[in-house]
Amino acid sequence: MTAALGLLVLLMVLVAALRLWPRVRLWRAGTPAPVDWRAGLLALPGRYLHDVHAVVARDPYAARMHAAVAGGLIAACALAALALLPPLGASRVLAGLDALAFLLMLAGTVAVGARRYPARPQRLSGGAFQVLPFLLLGLALGGLLAAGTHALALPPAIGWSGLALAAVGGLGLAWSVGAGPMRHAVAGATWLAAHPRPARFGHDRRDTALRPLALDAEKLGAETPADFTWNTLLSFDACIQCGRCEAACPAFAAGQPLNPKRLVQDLAAAMTPGGNTTYAGSPYPHARPVAGTSGLHAPVIGEGALVHPDTLWSCTTCRACVAECPMMIEHVDAIVDLRRFQTLERGAVPPHAEAALAELRGADEPGGNPLGNRTDFAPDVPLMRERGGAEILLWLGTGAFDLRTGRTLRALVQLLRAAKVDFAVLGEEERDCGDLARRLGDEATFQRLARLNIETLNRYRFRRILTADPHSLHTIRNEYPALGGRFEVVHHTAFLDELAAAGRLALKPAGGEAVTFHDPCYLARYNGEVDAPRRLLDRLGLERREMARSGTRALCCGGGGGAPLSDVAGERRIPDIRMAQAAETGAALVAVACPQCAVMLEGVAGERPDVLDIAELTLRALVPAEAPRVAVGV
């Protein structure tokens, strides 16, 4: 009887392979991508058992359910296949082990069903996924009866009945590999081995930089599914539609027409004609009408295509979807590839974004401000061109032209002087770092700005670049190296924490005023820095209260990826949602560490906590003898 189960397993593998082959041909139609198959396959068990399950385990119920179902299924099928070997086919011990594996799978299957019936959580997709528990039940229960009959010498009729039940469930699961819930199992394992960002896997490793675009390519960016790399197409089929990205997405929460789960499913469906008629999950909020046209060589974006442009421009590039995805899908990479074609080939960007890009191309600054005015917030700051070098190069960023950010930078400059730090700024030699251009898809402008900035930076002597802007931090630290610019970059919260720890800043702790810290996406998720800002707040004697979403899982302020310029309408504003989360803590202060976050959160109308940058809070706690008192917040 166990040998018969082994034959069923072989038949399931054959059916799954035949059903999957058409998808394999579609994946292969994508553009080439280098993959170290040997390293990827060797790393696959660790990536699956450690990295995938580290994300799955954020939902303990789902983790136990998945471990039981997947572990039981794999073990049961492997043991059944072993029974095809003549010496083992008659073993009652092997049959008993197989029965235990099917029993484990059965326990997990019950959990799968209990999660979907009688009420399915909104973020989970329905349709074929509602049938999945019954297919799993058929294989698990049938396999248990068949293997158990052999192991316990039960009446053969029980075993044959179980085998028939297992065949229905098992072949149903194998059939769904072609276009159903089980496709993710095969595609997902292959995707994890062929992942384009191997540095994402392992302990505390991070790879978040966008890859440079070859500007001499025949086509710039992705217009059709065939323009994506083959393993990117593979990644779309790895999606299990768990909805974790949907639950984390700030644009979805705000009612903008973006649902990252639906987008990935649309990108998977875009490979074949017919649109995405089988999708049974949450739609795009306030979805814009589209024709639904699809095909391997058909445009993906457009009112006459499958995905509306407003969906594409709603993304803040915060990577919350990426961080929550258990299959490690790179949603933001795909969105930026699509934006690159829209911007560079079609010139089809939102009006305000186009105005900012025009200024970046002509004035090297998105607001069109003269570069010589960058130091107007504090005209007496030392300039690199006059000194030739300094220990610290203070990168001011685009926010230096903004009155609100000027308050943060003045506080930071006074703290540096109080700590006797040897620093200087580039002044009018500092161009925009290129972050905005790159996220909006204008790779050509990004690369031009980056190369000019790298050339300027290489002219001077300094040990580290200091910045209060996480977007500049990420771009210079992580994206300039691909263009030849390698610099040590530190965020101002980490640097101030260093100074305080070394005794170079004499701080007088406050009286326990309650504060909650808003983690900037480009500092926390992109660069993994969550501890330094909190250590510094603790040094200030503040009572720190965490929001429900904090650290690397914090909600975006809505200011990244050019979203404020795209200005896609929704039901609510993202900063309003975030400020409501801050208010729930009862804290009177929201500490920020990013100029864009400060602007977005201070723009929330009505009664709300005060918003102060950590540099302003630190200056407020500075012992008077160390620096002259200033009116922070004026």
Side-chain angles (χ1 to χ4, degrees):
M1 192 63 69
T2 313
L5 281 173
L7 290 173
L8 174 60
V9 169
L10 291 184
L11 183 58
M12 289 168 56
V13 171
L14 177 60
V15 170
L18 292 174
R19 288 283 292 158
L20 190 65
W21 178 244
R23 300 302 296 183
V24 175
R25 294 179 63 185
L26 291 173
W27 302 337
R28 294 176 65 188
T31 61
V35 173
D36 186 342
W37 281 108
R38 181 178 179 277
L41 291 172
L42 289 174
L44 180 58
R47 291 176 180 180
Y48 187 83
L49 296 173
H50 177 269
D51 298 283
V52 168
H53 275 276
V55 178
V56 175
R58 294 171 187 169
D59 180 347
Y61 182 93
R64 292 190 293 267
M65 175 190 75
H66 188 263
V69 171
L73 175 62
I74 294 171
C77 290
L79 290 168
L82 285 176
L84 293 173
L85 300 175
L88 298 176
S91 171
R92 294 175 63 183
V93 173
L94 180 66
L97 292 174
D98 204 15
L100 289 175
F102 277 117
L103 182 61
L104 176 63
M105 180 186 171
L106 180 61
T109 299
V110 172
V112 172
R115 200 179 192 204
R116 291 181 170 271
Y117 293 95
R120 169 175 58 90
Q122 182 179 356
R123 69 177 176 88
L124 298 180
S125 292
F129 284 87
Q130 292 298 97
V131 181
L132 179 62
F134 299 101
L135 297 178
L136 292 171
L137 180 65
L139 179 58
L141 181 58
L144 174 61
L145 292 174
T149 296
H150 188 172
L152 301 175
L154 298 175
I158 298 176
W160 290 113
S161 299
L163 185 62
L165 183 60
V168 172
L171 293 176
L173 290 172
W175 186 262
S176 75
V177 168
M182 292 303 292
R183 185 161 70 192
H184 100 280
V186 181
T190 312
W191 159 246
L192 290 174
H195 202 288
R197 294 181 180 271
R200 278 195 66 189
F201 301 95
H203 181 67
D204 289 336
R205 299 185 69 183
R206 194 171 301 276
D207 182 2
T208 56
L210 291 171
R211 303 292 189 256
L213 179 68
L215 297 176
D216 58 353
E218 183 177 342
K219 180 187 287 187
L220 301 178
E223 176 191 17
T224 72
D227 296 326
F228 287 108
T229 61
W230 73 266
N231 50 352
T232 298
L233 295 178
L234 166 67
S235 76
F236 303 146
D237 280 337
C239 175
I240 186 55
Q241 300 190 43
C242 65
R244 295 187 183 212
C245 58
E246 169 187 311
C249 178
F252 181 82
Q256 293 176 285
L258 170 61
N259 178 348
K261 181 178 76 172
R262 174 66 194 259
L263 177 61
V264 168
Q265 288 304 304
D266 277 350
L267 293 174
M271 291 184 244
T272 56
N276 193 4
T277 58
T278 62
Y279 177 75
S282 301
Y284 298 122
H286 301 285
R288 282 40 167 174
V290 292
T293 306
S294 61
L296 189 61
H297 300 287
V300 174
I301 304 298
E303 294 182 10
L306 192 58
V307 179
H308 195 278
D310 283 357
T311 295
L312 187 67
W313 298 109
S314 294
C315 178
T316 68
T317 69
C318 71
R319 285 184 70 88
C321 53
V322 180
E324 293 298 319
C325 179
M327 294 311 301
M328 308 289 177
I329 297 171
E330 295 286 344
H331 312 65
V332 174
D333 286 0
I335 287 171
V336 172
D337 277 343
L338 291 166
R339 285 183 175 184
R340 284 170 169 171
F341 179 82
Q342 296 297 305
T343 300
L344 295 173
E345 296 279 10
R346 296 188 60 200
V349 297
H352 291 146
E354 174 56 37
L357 290 176
E359 295 290 5
L360 278 168
R361 294 164 189 153
D364 295 342
E365 202 283 310
N369 297 289
L371 299 183
N373 294 352
R374 193 181 296 275
T375 56
D376 284 358
F377 73 95
D380 59 340
V381 290
L383 297 174
M384 272 289 183
R385 69 170 179 267
E386 296 175 356
R387 300 185 52 186
E391 178 189 6
I392 297 296
L393 188 154
L394 177 59
W395 185 274
L396 300 175
T398 298
F401 297 103
D402 174 70
L403 292 176
R404 174 62 188 88
T405 307
R407 301 204 305 262
T408 296
L409 292 174
R410 282 195 298 276
L412 178 57
V413 166
Q414 291 184 69
L415 290 167
L416 295 178
R417 285 172 170 158
K420 296 180 173 53
V421 174
D422 176 26
F423 76 98
V425 301
L426 290 176
E428 64 181 357
E429 294 182 283
E430 179 186 317
R431 297 172 174 85
D432 185 85
C433 70
D435 164 76
L436 178 65
R438 184 165 236 196
R439 269 72 202 170
L440 287 173
D442 190 350
E443 180 74 6
T445 296
F446 163 74
Q447 290 194 22
R448 181 184 67 81
L449 290 170
R451 295 183 193 283
L452 289 172
N453 280 326
I454 291 169
E455 180 183 344
T456 299
L457 291 168
N458 283 335
R459 287 204 296 267
Y460 296 111
R461 295 177 292 101
F462 55 87
R463 189 165 66 88
R464 288 194 287 182
I465 296 175
L466 169 66
T467 182
D469 180 8
H471 296 263
S472 297
L473 169 89
H474 170 72
T475 302
I476 300 172
R477 174 193 282 176
N478 299 319
E479 299 188 340
Y480 278 19
L483 301 176
R486 291 174 173 78
F487 308 100
E488 183 179 350
V489 192
V490 60
H491 190 249
H492 76 304
T493 56
F495 190 69
L496 293 176
D497 182 58
E498 287 180 22
L499 294 177
R504 296 176 65 180
L505 286 175
L507 302 176
K508 181 180 180 181
E513 187 175 10
V515 63
T516 187
F517 177 59
H518 166 73
D519 291 272
C521 301
Y522 277 73
L523 186 63
R525 263 190 295 276
Y526 274 78
N527 285 276
E529 182 61 83
V530 297
D531 295 329
R534 287 168 170 79
R535 283 196 305 266
L536 187 55
L537 289 173
D538 291 344
R539 295 182 193 280
L540 302 181
L542 299 169
E543 179 196 341
R544 182 162 49 83
R545 300 179 183 177
E546 295 291 357
M547 286 184 250
R549 289 182 59 176
S550 62
T552 56
R553 305 184 74 185
L555 182 74
C556 179
C557 74
L565 295 173
S566 301
D567 198 24
V568 179
E571 296 174 356
R572 304 174 62 188
R573 296 175 65 250
I574 296 173
D576 293 342
I577 299 174
R578 187 54 170 167
M579 188 57 83
Q581 294 176 348
E584 288 174 358
T585 68
L589 287 174
V590 177
V592 294
C594 170
Q596 289 183 246
C597 294
V599 170
M600 296 301 290
L601 295 180
E602 281 201 337
V604 173
E607 187 175 347
R608 58 164 174 77
D610 291 333
V611 179
L612 288 174
D613 189 273
I614 288 185
E616 297 174 283
L617 290 171
T618 304
L619 183 62
R620 191 174 68 174
L622 194 67
V623 173
E626 295 295 322
R629 280 293 185 181
V630 297
V632 176
V634 175

